[in-house]
Amino acid sequence: TRFMSVRGLGDVYKRQQFDFTKPLAEIELDVIRYVLNDVNMNQQKAAQRLGISRSTLWRKLSSDQHR
């Protein structure tokens, strides 16, 4: 299994490793969950850090629940 560190998301993310052998949708959700955890589940802050709107974040999270 190949793992890579996430770059360009700040120092705190350099320590986190994500499995890039997974499908892209799963990697995206892993990153979203990691960022949410880092900002104490504050969706507004997570969306800002990810560079997406809060509604896009909500949509991505709700689509994960329907799988």
Side-chain angles (χ1 to χ4, degrees):
T1 307
R2 293 180 299 151
F3 290 89
M4 296 180 66
S5 295
V6 174
R7 298 176 196 197
L9 291 176
D11 290 338
V12 79
Y13 302 105
K14 289 179 183 175
R15 292 172 291 195
Q16 177 64 35
Q17 294 198 352
F18 296 95
D19 180 357
F20 286 99
T21 63
K22 291 182 181 180
L24 181 58
E26 288 181 36
I27 297 168
E28 181 180 59
L29 286 169
D30 288 346
V31 171
I32 289 171
R33 289 184 198 115
Y34 183 81
V35 172
L36 277 167
N37 188 50
D38 192 52
V39 296
N40 298 313
M41 304 308 286
N42 183 314
Q43 290 187 4
Q44 185 63 40
K45 287 182 181 180
Q48 287 173 338
R49 190 168 294 174
L50 292 165
I52 59 177
S53 69
R54 193 193 165 297
S55 60
T56 298
L57 177 63
W58 181 86
R59 187 171 54 252
K60 289 178 181 294
L61 291 170
S62 67
S63 70
D64 177 46
Q65 293 175 359
H66 296 283
R67 289 182 189 189

